[in-house]
Amino acid sequence: MDIINRNFFRLLRSGALNEYETLEPMSAFKWKRLAQIARAQNVVSIAYKGLKNHQYDEEINIPKYIAEEMQQEEYADKPESMNTQLSNLLLNKRLKKIRKEEPHQMDASMATVDVLNLIINNVGHMLNSGISLRSIIDLGIYLRTKGDKVDFVKLEGWLQQLHMQNMAQLQGSILMSVFNFEQEEIPFVHQFVSAAYKLAMRSVKHTAIDTSKEWHFRQSRTGFVKNNSTVLRRNLRRSIRYISYAPIETSSNFISNFTRSLSEIEE
């Protein structure tokens, strides 16, 4: 699995950030597994772009049919949903105020708002379905291409208001641990989060399932309420995993999802 992960992230770094590192030869089975991971993580287009960048590698041995399948799926990535709201009412009110007032400030910086939105979007993915590598990459690309336009002092003030400093540091640490970003490229990372690499690898191993379409509680024909204990346990474990990074939002998100599940009981 390690060699698959290494080649997978090399392709993503190449396709998204134009960084080059020679790919390692793999069996057809492992190349097929890599393509499956790219598909599940919604990054086929990025991986295939990376593959084209590596097409002249001497040792590249990806089977032709797998490369052709990826080419056919190059434009099939699903648009990433933007989770731009917070579950906690007070924090979401502060977020809306930031977005409403910033365009009218003398030193307005919409690039800084964009980065904030990307961070909030990643928070939503983390809490509701697990780390989205596509959304993490989107944040990284923005920082690489437009980071010079971001007011990081202002951004950190906003993150403090929203109690999102640690979540932002976690996202930045993922960029550093698997996408080779330097800390100076991500000024809001003051302390590297050692768990970042493990969490990123977990997102590859355990592909996140969108729980929004799964039922937590359902009323049976006899009138009794049944619950999907698997989904509940998964959401609880996810909340426990991230609660130390954003305790207020994580708790509010879990309660919100739990309450919504109850309200969706079939009559």
Side-chain angles (χ1 to χ4, degrees), residues 34-238:
L34 185 151
Q36 290 173 338
I37 293 172
R39 192 175 300 116
Q41 291 290 340
N42 201 32
V43 291
V44 173
S45 60
I46 297 173
Y48 182 69
K49 182 180 178 183
L51 194 61
K52 288 192 292 186
N53 291 342
H54 286 267
Q55 61 183 309
Y56 299 114
D57 282 12
E58 290 185 2
E59 296 187 356
I60 190 169
N61 64 337
I62 182 170
K64 184 178 179 181
Y65 77 93
I66 295 178
E68 290 175 346
E69 286 178 356
M70 292 178 68
Q71 182 181 19
Q72 292 172 2
E73 298 174 14
E74 183 180 4
Y75 302 105
D77 288 349
K78 299 176 182 178
E80 284 286 290
S81 59
M82 283 291 287
N83 300 292
T84 56
Q85 305 299 319
L86 293 173
S87 298
N88 183 271
L89 296 179
L90 175 59
L91 298 185
N92 197 53
K93 184 177 180 180
R94 292 179 183 176
L95 178 60
K96 288 181 178 179
K97 184 178 179 182
I98 290 169
R99 291 170 175 157
K100 181 179 179 180
E101 295 183 351
E102 182 59 19
H104 307 290
Q105 300 298 317
M106 291 291 293
D107 60 344
S109 172
M110 299 315 296
T112 309
V113 176
D114 288 341
V115 173
L116 178 65
N117 286 335
L118 288 167
I119 290 171
I120 296 301
N121 177 48
N122 272 298
V123 170
H125 280 295
M126 288 176 169
L127 297 183
N128 292 298
S129 56
I131 292 172
S132 165
L133 291 179
R134 185 59 179 263
S135 295
I136 290 288
I137 289 171
D138 287 343
L139 174 61
I141 291 174
Y142 197 98
L143 290 172
R144 275 278 173 90
T145 58
K146 300 180 181 179
D148 59 324
K149 299 176 182 176
V150 177
D151 185 335
F152 287 101
V153 174
K154 181 176 289 189
L155 176 64
E156 290 198 58
W158 292 343
L159 292 173
Q160 186 174 5
Q161 291 179 44
L162 300 173
H163 298 277
M164 288 295 159
Q165 308 101 305
N166 290 335
M167 271 296 204
Q169 287 203 131
L170 173 58
Q171 294 171 33
S173 296
I174 292 173
L175 288 173
M176 293 168 62
S177 62
V178 297
F179 292 107
N180 294 344
F181 273 66
E182 299 294 334
Q183 190 160 357
E184 54 263 31
E185 296 180 89
I186 318 172
F188 53 81
V189 176
H190 298 287
Q191 184 174 356
F192 178 76
V193 179
S194 59
Y197 181 81
K198 181 179 179 180
L199 289 170
M201 292 302 105
R202 189 183 188 283
S203 75
V204 173
K205 184 178 179 180
H206 305 282
T207 301
I209 298 173
D210 184 0
T211 58
S212 64
K213 296 182 180 179
E214 298 184 71
W215 54 272
H216 292 210
F217 295 91
R218 180 172 293 172
Q219 193 168 14
S220 67
R221 293 180 181 178
T222 58
F224 291 99
V225 174
K226 301 186 294 183
N227 75 294
N228 186 333
S229 58
T230 300
V231 176
L232 282 174
R233 286 197 300 271
R234 183 192 304 135
N235 287 346
L236 181 59
R237 286 196 299 268
R238 188 182 302 122

